[in-house]
């Protein structure tokens, strides 16, 4: 919660103005400059305890060259009462139920997230999906195919006309691995796979563990092929 939210919005307004119109499309958006909100938190949850998120959604609604964007694992239906005017992109994070029940503790169930998508589109939000994290394990392909069928069957044409996805393969690190072993060791059977993972330094300077290049490339190819088969209407914005 920020007590200087007015100053934050004022600075953003100036930055949007200085950017001017977006003339070259990129993977974020073809027309608008996209500002990622709550990178280290979930704005849908933040909105339960603070008006900051509502203030930002209202502000972006007045800026025709910019969009706010945030990922969420929580369905906050109070956000449906706001007026985003198509200038806020909500990215619902999705994964198969089998993974979510083990890895997504204390979040909105996957089926409820999918069921909320059309309501948020109708309320004036742009809605995308994050396939995150994609965990390579026995049977993962079949479970992702089922999830794509659920998404296709559970959403309408308005969502499908503007939908896009991010594919984010699992990233982990040794510190989190050690922490999880103390309180949720079952999850580490999926997350910690040294035989198919490699170390890589992140932009923040931390050493993370990611799938080896060939495993990651094969996983991305498999999932994009599944999307082409099961949800051909869904554009993949990027995969990493």
């Amino acid at each position: 919660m920020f007590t200087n939210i007015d100053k934050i919005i004022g600075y953003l307004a100036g930055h949007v103005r200085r950017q001017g119109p977006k003339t070259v499309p990129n993977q974020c958006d073809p027309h608008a400059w996209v500002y990622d909100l709550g990178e280290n938190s979930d704005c849908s949850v933040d909105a339960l305890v603070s008006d900051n998120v509502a203030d930002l959604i209202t502000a972006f609604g007045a800026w025709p060259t910019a969009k706010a964007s945030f990922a969420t694992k929580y369905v906050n239906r109070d956000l449906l009462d706001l007026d985003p005017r198509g200038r806020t992109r909500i990215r619902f994070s999705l994964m198969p139920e089998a993974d979510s029940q083990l890895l997504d503790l204390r979040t909105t169930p996957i089926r409820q997230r999918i069921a909320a998508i059309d309501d948020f589109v109708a309320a004036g939000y742009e809605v995308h999906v994050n396939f995150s994290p994609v965990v390579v394990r026995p049977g993962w392909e079949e479970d992702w195919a089922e999830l794509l069928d659920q998404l296709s069957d559970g959403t309408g044409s308005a969502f499908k006309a503007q939908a896009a996805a991010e594919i984010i393969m699992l990233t982990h690190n040794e510190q989190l691995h050690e922490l999880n072993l103390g309180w949720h060791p079952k999850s580490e059977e999926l997350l910690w796979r040294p035989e198919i993972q490699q170390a890589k330094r992140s932009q923040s300077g931390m050493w993370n563990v990611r799938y080896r290049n060939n495993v990651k490339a094969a996983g991305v190819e498999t999932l994009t092929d599944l999307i082409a088969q099961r949800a051909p209407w869904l554009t993949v914005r990027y995969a990493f």
Side-chain angles (χ1 to χ4, degrees):
M1 294 180 288
F2 297 100
T3 58
N4 62 333
I5 187 66
D6 292 340
K7 289 184 178 180
I8 292 172
I9 290 174
Y11 177 83
L12 281 170
H15 192 273
V16 170
R17 186 169 55 251
R18 292 190 297 275
Q19 288 287 92
K22 185 176 182 178
T23 58
V24 179
N26 63 13
Q27 65 185 15
C28 293
D29 193 88
H31 307 295
W33 301 109
V34 179
Y35 292 75
D36 199 29
L37 307 182
E39 184 178 350
N40 295 312
S41 64
D42 189 321
C43 287
S44 295
V45 178
D46 294 345
L48 296 173
V49 297
S50 169
D51 291 333
N52 287 176
V53 176
D55 293 337
L56 287 163
I57 290 172
T58 299
F60 274 93
W63 300 333
T65 61
K67 285 180 183 176
S69 178
F70 63 87
T72 185
K73 296 185 176 186
Y74 180 77
V75 175
N76 181 353
R77 290 189 171 273
D78 290 343
L79 298 179
L80 296 173
D81 296 331
L82 305 178
D83 185 17
R85 302 181 183 180
R87 311 313 303 174
T88 293
R89 173 187 297 164
I90 293 183
R91 295 151 23 233
F92 281 103
S93 294
L94 302 177
M95 67 176 73
E97 292 277 2
D99 291 339
S100 180
Q101 290 173 3
L102 188 61
L103 307 178
D104 253 358
L105 306 182
R106 294 185 294 277
T107 62
T108 300
I110 296 295
R111 291 182 182 275
Q112 291 182 29
R113 297 181 212 176
I114 293 174
I117 286 175
D118 283 352
D119 292 338
F120 278 84
V121 173
Y125 292 92
E126 182 181 56
V127 180
H128 287 187
V129 290
N130 281 4
F131 295 145
S132 170
V134 179
V135 179
V136 175
R137 54 166 176 77
W140 74 274
E141 301 95 330
E142 293 81 2
D143 285 349
W144 277 95
E146 181 180 350
L147 175 65
L148 290 167
D149 289 344
Q150 293 172 2
L151 184 62
S152 290
D153 295 342
T155 55
S157 58
F159 165 67
K160 292 180 172 71
Q162 51 86 82
E166 304 167 17
I167 297 174
I168 304 173
M169 304 296 290
L170 172 69
T171 299
H172 201 23
N173 66 62
E174 189 168 3
Q175 290 86 354
L176 282 176
H177 170 63
E178 294 296 332
L179 180 65
N180 283 349
L181 286 176
W183 75 279
H184 193 35
K186 189 71 174 176
S187 67
E188 290 305 298
E189 296 177 11
L190 297 185
L191 302 181
W192 193 253
R193 301 277 308 280
E195 72 277 11
I196 60 172
Q197 291 171 328
Q198 63 186 1
K200 186 173 182 179
R201 190 179 292 276
S202 71
Q203 290 181 343
S204 64
M206 291 183 60
W207 281 102
N208 290 329
V209 175
R210 300 177 180 178
Y211 292 122
R212 294 177 184 173
N213 293 345
N214 63 320
V215 175
K216 180 178 178 180
V220 169
E221 182 177 7
T222 296
L223 188 49
T224 52
D225 286 347
L226 284 173
I227 292 170
Q229 297 165 16
R230 303 293 183 122
W233 45 268
L234 183 59
T235 298
V236 176
R237 285 202 297 114
Y238 61 83
F240 67 88

